[in-house]
């Protein structure tokens, strides 16, 4: 079914958008205060953990484009999508494309691991345990790389499909589907 491609459609619900920008704020706060302000760093980490839990629940009960079943794809589908990207013939998705869906899963797992090891380090049982601190720092640094890849993917997809995905994450709206788009 082809609709007017110029008419915007609501894709990202307020829960997804609030989660996303709150997570950006909490992660940046945690990163910037890691060495200087233990209390702010820990509270930012707790906020990250709570947001990850919210997103896991929202991925099961939220609206269509928030649900994991809408954007988690098999490794074969992800590989085919990445191959199509390299050939510059990937389809436009109204929701997350297969690469974006995979990135969400990886980011959520790394955020959960970072929050868990950070919390562990505050307990008597794990205070001063070297592997906990090293794992926490490794995951936090890996997250910086992943966030960079995520931003690069958003910018590339915005350019290729001629739409501002950053604005879409603020407004919740994307351009309506064309005949070849994946809804």
């Amino acid at each position: 079914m082809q609709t007017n491609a110029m008419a915007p459609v609501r894709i990202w619900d307020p829960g997804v958008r609030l989660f996303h920008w709150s997570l950006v704020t909490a992660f940046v706060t945690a990163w910037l205060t890691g060495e200087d302000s233990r209390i702010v760093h820990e509270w930012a980490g707790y906020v990250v953990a709570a947001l990850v839990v919210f997103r896991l629940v929202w991925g099961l009960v939220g609206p269509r484009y928030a649900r994991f079943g809408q954007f988690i794809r098999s490794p074969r589908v992800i590989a085919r999508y990445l191959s199509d990207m390299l050939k510059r013939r990937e389809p436009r998705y109204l929701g997350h494309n297969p690469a974006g869906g995979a990135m969400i899963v990886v980011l959520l797992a790394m955020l959960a691991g970072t929050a868990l090891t950070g919390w562990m380090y505050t307990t008597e049982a794990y205070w001063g345990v070297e592997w906990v601190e090293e794992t926490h720092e490794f995951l936090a640094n890996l997250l910086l790389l992943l966030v960079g890849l995520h931003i690069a993917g958003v910018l590339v997809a915005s350019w290729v499909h001629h739409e501002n995905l950053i604005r879409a994450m603020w407004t919740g709206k994307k351009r309506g589907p064309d005949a070849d788009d994946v809804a």
Side-chain angles (χ1 to χ4, degrees), residues 30-31 34 50 53-54 80 84 89 100 112 114 126 129 135 138 148 151 162 173 177:
W31 179 258
V53 169
F54 165 78
R80 185 172 56 239
D84 287 346
R89 64 175 194 197
T114 305
Y126 293 101
V129 176
T135 302
F138 172 78
I151 292 168
H162 308 289
K173 295 179 182 177

Side-chain angles (χ1 to χ4, degrees), residues 48-130:
V48 167
L51 287 167
V52 168
V53 169
F54 165 78
R55 187 62 182 98
L56 293 175
V57 171
W58 204 240
L60 298 173
V61 302
R64 177 181 180 191
Y65 290 105
R67 291 186 183 232
F68 296 130
Q70 196 279 326
F71 62 83
I72 293 179
R73 305 283 195 252
S74 71
R76 183 181 318 175
V77 170
I78 296 165
R80 185 172 56 239
Y81 181 82
L82 292 172
S83 174
D84 287 346
M85 275 183 67
L86 292 174
K87 297 171 189 167
R88 297 190 58 168
R89 64 175 194 197
E90 75 275 14
R92 175 180 174 256
Y93 282 72
L94 284 185
H96 285 96
N97 65 49
M103 181 57 82
I104 290 171
V105 171
V106 171
L107 284 169
L108 288 173
M110 295 302 101
L111 287 161
T114 305
L116 176 63
T117 54
W119 170 78
M120 288 171 64
Y121 204 67
T122 67
T123 66
E124 284 187 38
Y126 293 101
W127 175 255
V129 176
E130 193 172 326

Side-chain angles (χ1 to χ4, degrees), residues 10 21 26 29 33 49 54 59 62 79 82 90-91 94 100 128 133 149 156-157 162-163 166-167 173 180:
R10 183 164 303 279
W21 295 113
T29 300
T33 60
F54 165 78
L82 292 172
E90 75 275 14
L94 284 185
E133 182 179 14
L149 289 172
V156 167
H162 308 289
E163 66 183 332
I166 296 169
R167 183 179 62 219
K173 295 179 182 177
D180 296 337

Side-chain angles (χ1 to χ4, degrees), residues 12 25 49 54 87-88 109 112-113 118 153 178 182:
W12 310 124
T25 303
F54 165 78
K87 297 171 189 167
R88 297 190 58 168
D178 291 328
V182 179

Side-chain angles (χ1 to χ4, degrees), residues 25-31 33 39-49:
T25 303
F27 178 75
V28 169
T29 300
W31 179 258
T33 60
I39 297 297
V40 174
H41 180 78
E42 287 178 11
W43 277 102
Y46 295 138
V47 170
V48 167

Side-chain angles (χ1 to χ4, degrees), residues 128-158:
V129 176
E130 193 172 326
W131 73 264
V132 175
E133 182 179 14
E134 289 175 359
T135 302
H136 182 70
E137 289 177 8
F138 172 78
L139 292 174
N141 289 326
L142 179 59
L143 273 165
L144 278 183
L145 173 67
L146 293 170
V147 167
L149 289 172
H150 172 62
I151 292 168
V154 167
L155 294 174
V156 167
S158 292

Side-chain angles (χ1 to χ4, degrees), residues 159-173:
W159 178 69
V160 167
H161 298 295
H162 308 289
E163 66 183 332
N164 186 334
L165 294 177
I166 296 169
R167 183 179 62 219
M169 190 51 77
W170 280 106
T171 65
K173 295 179 182 177

